[in-house]
Amino acid sequence: MSGANSSSLTPGFFILNGVPGLEAAHIWISLPFCFMYIIAVVGNCGLIYLISHEEALHRPMYYFLALLSFTDVTLCTTTVPNMLCIFWFDLKEIDFNACLVQMFFVHMLTGMESGVLMLMALDRYMAICYPLHYASILTNRVIIKAGLATFLRSVMLIMPFTFLTKHLPYCQGNFIPHTYCDHMSVAKVSCGSFKVNAIYGLMVSLLIGVFDICCISVSYTMILQAVMSLSSADARHKAFSTCTSHICAIVITYVPAFFTFFTHCFGGHLIPHHVHIIVANLYLLLPPTMNPIVYGVKTKQIREGVIKFLLGEKIVFT
């Protein structure tokens, strides 16, 4: 494939090179990614189906879990099929506008995922600290408004990425050393200054990631205080066990996210580029793959729901 004309400020297409330095191993790299994608699609779609069809699971906690599952499966679907085409068929070319669309959805959905994790932390805070008012506060109407607000926040904050990147001059070529169109990976292809992109990217990270982590931290600090004040050890264990799945989801999501962010900002010369690209892919694939497994194993209601659903029995929880 030939690159775009170097004199053109806006290329007709970009070329995604996959994992730089490991081109010969693309087939082997694709196998675990493909396997994880299948698990992510089946697991998350199964959770959504179970929660939507079983009245016993029509509770705030499971509504937020269904929203997280929908976000996860949509997120990995925006990148993995295209990535597998690169690995399997050497189809590296992506239209310029299609690249911008993919970039928007990747960052919008990662912001959405962070917001849903924050909402789930607030849900656990209300359930443990204010159990008597839980049902009256977290009504279906409140849940819908919270989900919509999280969605709109992501859309409004990520939309400028598209415009800033679209108006950069691309006169040095159109090769992106990545498997998908990430904001800074695309911006770094530009021959102009992308300082505004970098500053705005940092601002968005603060407004979404740092804000959500602060809310989650405050929520769990207050949850821990409430749990420790319980007189019964069994009651403390039961109360905190409802949070273990969510804590696992937080760790699975934010650890690779922070690694990717700090590598972009500070570790470009310290960490091999292929390691950064592989972790960036795991950042999008690991949470969608692991969340259904974690919630299926750690959450008694989900575990029993799956078993009874497979046996064709009606689910009734006390």
Side-chain angles (χ1 to χ4, degrees), residues 123-180:
D123 166 77
R124 291 299 83 206
Y125 164 71
M126 293 300 302
I128 293 174
C129 298
Y130 299 97
L132 298 179
H133 304 286
Y134 176 67
S136 60
I137 294 175
L138 281 181
T139 62
N140 290 346
R141 191 170 187 175
V142 170
I143 293 169
I144 292 172
K145 287 182 177 180
L148 184 61
T150 304
F151 170 74
L152 291 176
R153 180 190 70 164
S154 292
V155 170
M156 297 303 292
L157 288 176
I158 299 302
M159 186 68 74
F161 279 156
T162 307
F163 296 105
L164 289 172
T165 308
K166 185 178 179 67
H167 291 92
L168 286 173
Y170 297 92
C171 51
Q172 294 187 125
N174 58 350
F175 292 87
I176 300 176
H178 213 304
T179 56
Y180 61 87

Side-chain angles (χ1 to χ4, degrees), residues 54-83:
E54 297 300 334
E55 188 175 348
L57 297 176
H58 291 179
R59 302 178 185 180
M61 172 183 173
Y62 302 111
Y63 289 145
F64 287 130
L65 177 57
L67 182 58
L68 180 66
S69 292
F70 176 78
T71 304
D72 279 344
V73 75
T74 308
L75 174 60
C76 60
T77 300
T78 61
T79 57
V80 176
N82 186 66
M83 178 187 69

Side-chain angles (χ1 to χ4, degrees), residues 112-292:
M112 182 75 180
E113 182 175 49
S114 177
V116 175
L117 288 173
M118 177 192 66
L119 294 178
M120 294 174 80
L122 296 176
D123 166 77
R124 291 299 83 206
Y125 164 71
M126 293 300 302
I128 293 174
C129 298
Y130 299 97
L132 298 179
H133 304 286
Y134 176 67
S136 60
I137 294 175
L138 281 181
T139 62
N140 290 346
R141 191 170 187 175
V142 170
I143 293 169
I144 292 172
K145 287 182 177 180
L148 184 61
T150 304
F151 170 74
L152 291 176
R153 180 190 70 164
S154 292
V155 170
M156 297 303 292
L157 288 176
I158 299 302
M159 186 68 74
F161 279 156
T162 307
F163 296 105
L164 289 172
T165 308
K166 185 178 179 67
H167 291 92
L168 286 173
Y170 297 92
C171 51
Q172 294 187 125
N174 58 350
F175 292 87
I176 300 176
H178 213 304
T179 56
Y180 61 87
C181 293
D182 170 77
H183 171 235
M184 287 309 298
S185 295
V186 176
K188 287 177 180 178
V189 177
S190 168
C191 57
S193 173
F194 52 86
K195 182 181 289 187
V196 175
N197 295 65
I199 293 173
Y200 185 73
L202 181 61
M203 288 175 55
V204 170
S205 298
L206 293 174
L207 291 172
I208 294 181
V210 175
F211 175 80
D212 292 348
I213 290 173
C214 287
C215 289
I216 291 170
S217 300
V218 171
S219 297
Y220 272 101
T221 300
M222 301 180 76
I223 287 171
L224 189 60
Q225 290 176 347
V227 170
M228 290 297 103
S229 66
L230 296 174
S231 56
S232 168
D234 184 61
R236 289 197 296 269
H237 174 75
K238 185 176 180 180
F240 201 70
S241 65
T242 64
C243 302
T244 54
S245 301
H246 183 243
I247 293 172
C248 291
I250 292 170
V251 173
I252 291 167
T253 300
Y254 283 112
V255 169
F258 276 123
F259 180 90
T260 302
F261 174 76
F262 285 116
T263 300
H264 262 312
C265 292
F266 312 111
H269 302 293
L270 301 176
I271 300 171
H273 195 58
H274 65 270
V275 174
H276 166 61
I277 299 302
I278 290 174
V279 174
N281 281 280
L282 290 175
Y283 162 50
L284 301 184
L285 255 177
L286 195 61
T289 303
M290 295 303 299
N291 286 344

Side-chain angles (χ1 to χ4, degrees), residues 8-29:
S8 174
L9 295 181
T10 304
F13 59 88
F14 285 118
I15 294 175
L16 295 168
N17 277 348
V19 184
L22 297 179
E23 289 83 359
H26 273 179
I27 293 294
W28 297 107
I29 295 172

